[in-house]
Amino acid sequence: MLVVLVIAGLAVLVCVWMVSLGRGGELAVFPPDMPPTELPDAGHLTAADLMGLQLPLSLVGYHTQVVDEALYRLSTALGERDTRIAVLEQRVADLLAGRLQARQEVFARPAEPVRTEHQPEIASKPEIPSKTAAGGWEDDRSDAEESW
């Protein structure tokens, strides 16, 4: 009986020694117990995809790994969308600033036009007759009196 125990002990030691050297094999990979999350890529994620998402339940609530993966995909999609919106807003601001600057250049007037010797003088405008306190025109009254 003692001999059987010694042989069993030596067999256990040899097995432990072989496993410690890495010759014992690898553990099997088991598939997850929940279905994969059906979400599209970050660039194609829509509100309808999130509304239709059903997260699997575990013993004490939602399955943690699936929720973490869904939140990671959602945060990536929102980050990409925010970056794209910021780039587009910057482009719009640059275009509006360029358009405003172009308008200012087009409608800007020089302070004083340059005059040369060969340009004609601008004729002065005739004077406009003034209205009297009675409401008539002075020139009209004088013309009317002359014609009587």
Side-chain angles (χ1 to χ4, degrees):
M1 177 88 169
L2 184 60
V3 174
V4 175
L5 287 176
V6 171
I7 293 175
L10 285 174
V12 169
L13 287 175
V14 168
C15 288
V16 169
W17 178 65
M18 288 181 68
V19 169
S20 67
L21 292 177
R23 296 184 186 165
E26 294 181 4
L27 293 175
V29 177
F30 294 103
D33 292 341
M34 67 277 179
T37 307
E38 300 287 332
L39 284 176
D41 293 337
H44 305 289
L45 190 64
T46 63
D49 294 328
L50 291 176
M51 290 174 61
L53 180 64
Q54 292 184 355
L55 299 171
L57 295 174
S58 67
L59 186 60
V60 291
Y62 289 108
H63 196 273
T64 307
Q65 290 177 340
V66 176
V67 172
D68 289 344
E69 179 185 349
L71 289 176
Y72 177 75
R73 284 185 179 183
L74 181 62
S75 65
T76 303
L78 287 176
E80 288 177 3
R81 189 170 292 169
D82 288 345
T83 302
R84 183 169 184 254
I85 288 172
V87 167
L88 292 175
E89 284 178 347
Q90 183 62 39
R91 285 183 186 174
V92 168
D94 292 344
L95 288 173
L96 289 176
R99 191 174 185 188
L100 179 63
Q101 183 179 5
R103 278 189 179 178
Q104 288 175 348
E105 290 173 1
V106 167
F107 294 114
R109 297 181 188 162
E112 210 173 293
V114 178
R115 290 187 51 105
T116 59
E117 293 179 16
H118 64 281
Q119 285 183 338
E121 293 270 338
I122 299 175
S124 63
K125 295 181 181 178
E127 291 184 24
I128 300 173
S130 62
K131 203 171 190 183
T132 61
W137 298 94
E138 293 177 6
D139 292 340
D140 291 341
R141 183 179 290 172
S142 64
D143 290 341
E145 289 176 2
E146 290 175 8
S147 64
W148 286 89

